[in-house]
Structures are given as structure tokens and as C-alpha cells.
Amino acid sequence: MRLFVALVPPPEAVAELRRAVDPIRSRYDGLRWTGPQGWHLTLAFLGTVEPKTRIELETRLARVAARHPPRNLALTGSGRFGDRTLWIGIRGDRRAMAALAVAVRRAAGKCHIPIEGRPWHGHVTLARVAQARGAGGRRPPGSALTDPAADLAGFDGVEWTADRLHLVQSVIGNGPARYHDVATWPLVGRRSSHVRAGTRDGAEKSCSK
């Protein structure tokens, strides 16, 4: 299975963002827009995970969820990753969410799942550049994303509570990727005012080899 771990905005937050995105979607035909049903905040992309490893990972992720409390977030602002990806950002308890991402990645690492080392950047991917254009088949950096990013820069969504961790399967091929929950766990840990990204999420035993 091709898997990732994510937080999923509630329907009211998705509907609000959709109302902002729909009017501009048709103006930028050089982009491949993601569907509202797939909007999520990825905590860790895991790639292909074997069944035995997945079972062990689920046990560890359940422990992570039990140690981290719900946190208040909102979708806000916009930006781009280079000239390839358009995103909506977040505001709220971002430091606590970064700590959750660290704990999720550590859980995956203990199960010998390779994880990217880049710092977590909370966002929802809205679109990707569909194809190169222009002389030599190259597009000037950022040219396809500058205007839609500016159109959405003022977006500031309703606050919502991230209260559930999702292990999601990504199915690719024959059109846009499709996402299916494999397992979910409530975030039930006790809130603390001193949560720091990078703090160890407790001492856990390593997954079996």
C-alpha cells in the first residue's frame, strides 16, 4: 500500500475553501487542481508499506495519537513551492502540529520506513503545474502559480479542531489520486502550554524486524 499520515479538515472548512477556490479554478487551465474530497494536511508521506510493517505502524501511531491532544487550526493564506505546487497554509497551534509530525515520522522510522528529513510545513495542496510551456518547453519559474497564489492570499478560514489522526492509502493511476482511510485514531492527549517540535514523544520500543 502507498500510505501517508494526515489531518483532515472538517466539511465546513472544506466547503469554505471550495467557495474561495471554485471561482478562480477555471481561469488557470495550466494547473491540475486537486479535488475537495482529497484536501488534507500531510504529516508524513510513507510510500509503499508492506502489510506486516503496516500492522506494526498502526500500533505505534495509536500510541502517538493517545499522547497528543486535539489542536485548533484554520486554513489561511496561500503560497507556492517553486513553480510546481500551489498551497493553502494554516494558522493556529502550528508548533504543536509540528511536534505531532515529528512524532509520526519517528514512529515510521522505528518501523524502518524511510522518511524525508525536511521540516514539516503544514499546508493543503490545491494545484500542480500541468505541463511546461514556452520556448524550449520550459516555463519561467513560478509564472503559472503567481497569480492564483495572489488571488487566494487573503483567504482566512473558519477555525476548526484537528482531533483525529488518519492513516491514508493513496491510489494512483487512471486519473487523479484517490484517498482511502486505512485507520484513524482520536487525538486524546492532555494539552500542554509547553509543546516543542522535536521533543521526544516518549520512549517507545522499536517495531519488530
Side-chain angles (χ1 to χ4, degrees), residues 52-132:
K52 182 178 179 179
T53 302
R54 177 178 58 80
I55 292 171
E56 296 173 340
L57 175 67
E58 289 182 12
T59 299
R60 183 169 290 277
L61 290 177
R63 294 173 187 166
V64 170
R67 291 169 180 160
H68 286 258
R71 295 289 177 175
N72 296 327
L73 300 174
L75 302 177
T76 189
S78 63
R80 58 185 174 87
F81 294 132
D83 61 349
R84 296 185 178 185
T85 305
L86 175 70
W87 50 260
I88 286 287
I90 63 169
R91 62 173 170 82
D93 295 335
R94 288 187 293 183
R95 177 176 290 186
M97 289 297 99
L100 175 59
V102 167
V104 166
R105 293 178 181 191
R106 184 171 291 121
K110 293 290 187 179
C111 294
H112 308 288
I113 299 171
I115 298 293
E116 288 184 339
R118 291 182 297 179
W120 183 71
H121 181 281
H123 69 280
V124 172
T125 297
L126 292 182
R128 296 179 177 86
V129 174
Q131 58 186 359

Side-chain angles (χ1 to χ4, degrees), residues 5-191:
V5 182
L7 303 172
V8 179
E12 59 270 24
V14 170
E16 185 181 38
L17 179 57
R18 182 172 185 171
R19 288 194 294 271
V21 171
D22 280 353
I24 71 169
R25 187 188 296 258
S26 61
R27 301 209 300 267
Y28 302 104
D29 59 358
L31 301 181
R32 290 185 290 109
W33 293 87
T34 59
Q37 70 279 3
W39 287 344
H40 58 268
L41 286 81
T42 301
L43 295 171
F45 178 73
L46 307 177
T48 301
V49 177
E50 296 301 321
K52 182 178 179 179
T53 302
R54 177 178 58 80
I55 292 171
E56 296 173 340
L57 175 67
E58 289 182 12
T59 299
R60 183 169 290 277
L61 290 177
R63 294 173 187 166
V64 170
R67 291 169 180 160
H68 286 258
R71 295 289 177 175
N72 296 327
L73 300 174
L75 302 177
T76 189
S78 63
R80 58 185 174 87
F81 294 132
D83 61 349
R84 296 185 178 185
T85 305
L86 175 70
W87 50 260
I88 286 287
I90 63 169
R91 62 173 170 82
D93 295 335
R94 288 187 293 183
R95 177 176 290 186
M97 289 297 99
L100 175 59
V102 167
V104 166
R105 293 178 181 191
R106 184 171 291 121
K110 293 290 187 179
C111 294
H112 308 288
I113 299 171
I115 298 293
E116 288 184 339
R118 291 182 297 179
W120 183 71
H121 181 281
H123 69 280
V124 172
T125 297
L126 292 182
R128 296 179 177 86
V129 174
Q131 58 186 359
R133 294 178 180 177
R138 300 184 65 184
R139 185 192 299 276
S143 64
L145 301 176
T146 301
D147 289 343
D151 287 342
L152 291 166
F155 178 78
D156 191 33
V158 63
E159 189 173 272
W160 50 278
T161 301
D163 59 2
R164 202 159 194 91
L165 195 64
H166 295 251
L167 179 62
V168 185
Q169 180 185 14
S170 173
V171 181
I172 57 176
N174 298 321
R178 300 176 301 284
Y179 304 120
H180 309 286
D181 276 353
V182 173
T184 69
W185 303 271
L187 298 172
V188 294
R190 180 176 298 178
R191 286 180 180 267

